[in-house]
Amino acid sequence: MAVSFVALLNPAAGSDNLLSFLLSLVWIAFLMIFFLYPSLGQRMQLSYMLRDLERKLQRLKLIRDEINQVAVDTIKRVGKPDSDPSKELERLSEFFLIQPESMDPYGLVFKLEHILETGETTYEKEVAAIAPHATETQLKTLTNLVEILRGINTLYRVVRHYYLLGRKTSNIYMVLQIQMVIPMLIEIAESYRQAAVAFSKGQPIGDGVGVLVAAKLADGLEKTRYEIAKDTIVQEIELEGRKVYVIRAAGPGGTVGRPGEAVKQLVEKLPSNPKIIITIDAALKLEGEESGKVAEGVGVAIGGPGVDKYKIEELAKSRNIPLYAFVVFESITEAITPMKESIAKAADVVLARVKKLILEKVEGGEIAVVAGIGNTVGVGG
Amino acid sequence: MSEPALVFGPRQREKYPQPLTFLKCSTCGTENSRPFREEDYVFKVVNSEKCPKCGGSVSRIVNIYVPDRKEPK
């Protein structure tokens, strides 16, 4: 029996070879499967993509949980609440703002401003309630920290939504789209993770470079200072006979202030129009560009929802005031994580260029307005 | 197969960047640095630390940043 079986496996036996026959059968079976079930390949690919997405979704969840823990620990340490703030934080991480209706665009900017201001005030009050012993400065930074938690929570929920929807409907194109962007989303989430620690300790972040330049400009030259809009101060200085009004968010708590409203209020109160308005901000660099590179141009260098930018542009247009801007390039990660050396040193470069521009464009006795834009966490003065 | 090591491995997790605080002595103008401490902020006047050069007790924080990594040659 054994002898005859070995003979069947012998290739020399030609068509009587059993092994050859079995292999042919397997190949035919494979061909039939792919012929009768053409979407099998796509299903296999979908299954692979879903597994990959699931791992990355798990990574996002870990980052979210870590940020949540940082927020809870910081609020307990700084705010000394009577009860555990976890439940309240969970509620605040689901807080939302509804964009105004844009079918009729008239007055849209002011409607958006109203909603943003209401949201900001409400959020600050909610954070103050769960951190009763925090100082005003700490409260602003804590509010930023809770906003980071809200950001990562939204990111996680959106990715989970597309993952579950793609799995439920077996829609490879939906899964493909989220799989294509997930590396960038993970990078943003990692930035949030580092930003949470920076805010929990009150460290200056890359976005604060504009405020840092403004603070350095006024340092040692300040004649008077006053609050002109919520969380926003004006420092009056004199630079070789030129009157310079320096506007920035009041630090060292984490806030961006209201630079648009501040510039508007200031210019409307001045006896004569300023000769120039200069804005300084951080800007997103392109891949391959070095961090801390300084560039200058015209216009209003302010990111965000556009309310502040709109106000300064409107004002400058109506009064025919030239707008100059300086930006320091950095990545999205660098903007929200502790300030790097290259960015901190760029502040001195911008400072020298701002002074040069003022001396060139503004005559003695005339007025210039300089607005440093960004989050002022860790920057006092 | 995807690369789970890239997702869960220790390489993926960057450590938190540790900034340095740069203080300038109000007496002799010497600038020195130390690791960032909570409640430090730029332009804060510090009265509790002695200058390592002249022993002056008043200094001012002039910068806080994470030093750039020097690339190996």
Side-chain angles (χ1 to χ4, degrees):
Chain A
M1 179 68 187
V3 173
S4 61
F5 184 73
V6 170
L8 280 171
L9 292 174
N10 183 3
S15 58
D16 294 336
N17 179 1
L18 182 64
L19 184 67
S20 166
F21 174 72
L22 285 173
L23 280 173
S24 302
L25 212 61
V26 169
W27 275 113
I28 289 166
F30 260 115
L31 284 172
M32 289 302 286
I33 288 167
F34 278 95
F35 182 72
L36 296 172
Y37 192 22
S39 63
L40 179 70
Q42 199 182 64
R43 281 200 162 267
M44 285 165 69
Q45 196 182 358
L46 178 67
S47 154
Y48 152 73
M49 285 158 68
L50 283 170
R51 266 205 319 273
D52 185 44
L53 206 54
E54 195 176 329
R55 283 194 195 99
K56 286 171 180 164
L57 188 64
Q58 185 62 24
R59 174 98 189 97
L60 276 182
K61 189 173 181 294
L62 286 175
I63 294 174
R64 186 194 66 166
D65 293 347
E66 193 176 331
I67 292 174
N68 186 55
Q69 196 55 50
V70 170
V72 169
D73 291 346
T74 311
I75 286 175
K76 280 182 181 171
R77 177 168 49 84
V78 174
K80 297 180 179 64
D82 300 327
S83 56
D84 185 27
S86 305
K87 283 267 175 221
E88 289 300 306
L89 271 178
E90 195 183 324
R91 186 174 61 81
L92 285 178
S93 71
E94 307 272 333
F95 190 84
F96 59 85
L97 299 176
I98 301 170
Q99 297 283 313
E101 183 49 61
S102 59
M103 270 195 295
D104 175 12
Y106 179 75
L108 188 62
V109 175
F110 298 102
K111 287 182 202 167
L112 179 63
E113 182 187 25
H114 174 64
I115 288 170
L116 291 173
E117 283 180 6
T118 310
E120 191 186 315
T121 313
T122 310
Y123 220 64
E124 277 179 10
K125 281 183 182 164
E126 293 276 4
V127 174
I130 56 171
H133 291 92
T135 62
E136 202 180 333
T137 301
Q138 287 169 331
L139 211 54
K140 291 195 187 308
T141 311
L142 282 181
T143 307
N144 285 175
L145 181 58
V146 180
E147 276 170 5
I148 292 171
L149 177 63
R150 183 167 60 133
I152 187 73
N153 189 42
T154 307
L155 188 65
Y156 169 71
R157 284 166 57 221
V158 170
V159 173
R160 187 183 58 183
H161 166 77
Y162 282 107
Y163 162 74
L164 291 174
L165 202 61
R167 198 173 71 173
K168 192 164 83 178
T169 58
S170 295
N171 187 337
I172 194 167
Y173 302 104
M174 189 178 285
V175 177
L176 186 66
Q177 284 182 61
I178 194 74
Q179 203 205 15
M180 281 193 295
V181 294
I182 195 103
M184 278 82 85
L185 300 181
I186 293 271
E187 197 180 324
I188 291 171
E190 275 293 336
S191 312
Y192 280 163
R193 192 173 71 86
Q194 292 184 15
V197 173
F199 278 102
S200 74
K201 294 179 178 174
Q203 297 166 345
I205 57 168
D207 183 52
V209 69
V211 180
L212 184 63
V213 175
K216 285 189 171 190
L217 177 64
D219 186 36
L221 300 172
E222 181 186 301
K223 290 189 166 175
T224 177
R225 78 157 67 189
Y226 44 92
E227 186 169 4
I228 194 154
K230 185 174 181 285
D231 301 332
T232 315
I233 55 164
V234 178
Q235 291 170 286
E236 292 184 17
I237 64 167
E238 204 169 298
L239 195 71
E240 298 187 26
R242 285 90 170 155
K243 183 111 178 153
V244 182
Y245 291 85
V246 183
I247 292 173
R248 67 182 178 96
T255 176
V256 292
R258 290 181 186 162
E261 183 60 25
V263 172
K264 185 169 174 273
Q265 294 280 341
L266 175 73
V267 173
E268 283 172 356
K269 280 178 193 161
L270 290 175
S272 61
N273 278 344
K275 198 74 177 161
I276 54 172
I277 297 174
I278 303 170
T279 44
I280 309 152
D281 198 5
L284 277 187
K285 69 168 186 173
L286 300 172
E287 279 300 323
E289 284 184 319
E290 62 177 298
S291 299
K293 193 174 86 176
V294 176
E296 60 186 278
V298 291
V300 181
I302 300 182
V307 174
D308 295 290
K309 191 167 177 250
Y310 173 84
K311 283 190 174 180
I312 299 177
E313 283 168 351
E314 273 285 302
L315 177 87
K317 170 74 183 67
S318 64
R319 293 175 179 244
N320 200 25
I321 306 166
L323 294 166
Y324 291 90
F326 287 88
V327 292
V328 177
F329 288 110
E330 52 195 74
S331 69
I332 178 76
T333 304
E334 288 163 343
I336 58 171
T337 52
M339 192 179 283
K340 282 188 170 177
E341 183 179 355
S342 54
I343 296 166
K345 291 198 167 158
D348 296 324
V349 178
V350 178
L351 179 64
R353 288 215 211 167
V354 168
K355 282 182 180 171
K356 188 168 172 266
L357 184 72
I358 293 171
L359 296 178
E360 277 174 10
K361 303 280 182 193
V362 184
E363 300 291 324
E366 289 181 329
I367 297 168
V369 173
V370 178
I373 313 298
N375 193 309
T376 188
V377 61
V379 181
Chain B
M1 282 295 286
S2 61
E3 299 86 3
L6 284 177
V7 180
F8 291 115
R11 280 184 301 152
Q12 182 72 12
R13 290 219 157 186
E14 284 180 40
K15 286 179 184 167
Y16 298 117
Q18 300 296 327
L20 293 178
T21 297
F22 294 81
L23 299 114
K24 194 172 185 179
C25 175
S26 302
T27 314
C28 67
T30 307
E31 203 175 301
N32 53 74
S33 65
R34 58 158 172 75
F36 176 87
R37 287 181 204 151
E38 270 188 58
E39 298 186 2
D40 278 357
Y41 60 85
V42 183
F43 300 122
K44 181 184 181 183
V45 177
V46 180
N47 296 312
S48 53
E49 291 172 47
K50 283 196 171 181
C51 170
K53 195 178 174 189
C54 71
S57 59
V58 181
S59 52
R60 194 161 181 249
I61 297 175
V62 289
N63 239 330
I64 297 170
Y65 59 74
V66 180
D68 288 339
R69 274 183 225 157
K70 301 281 180 268
E71 286 182 17
K73 287 179 184 174

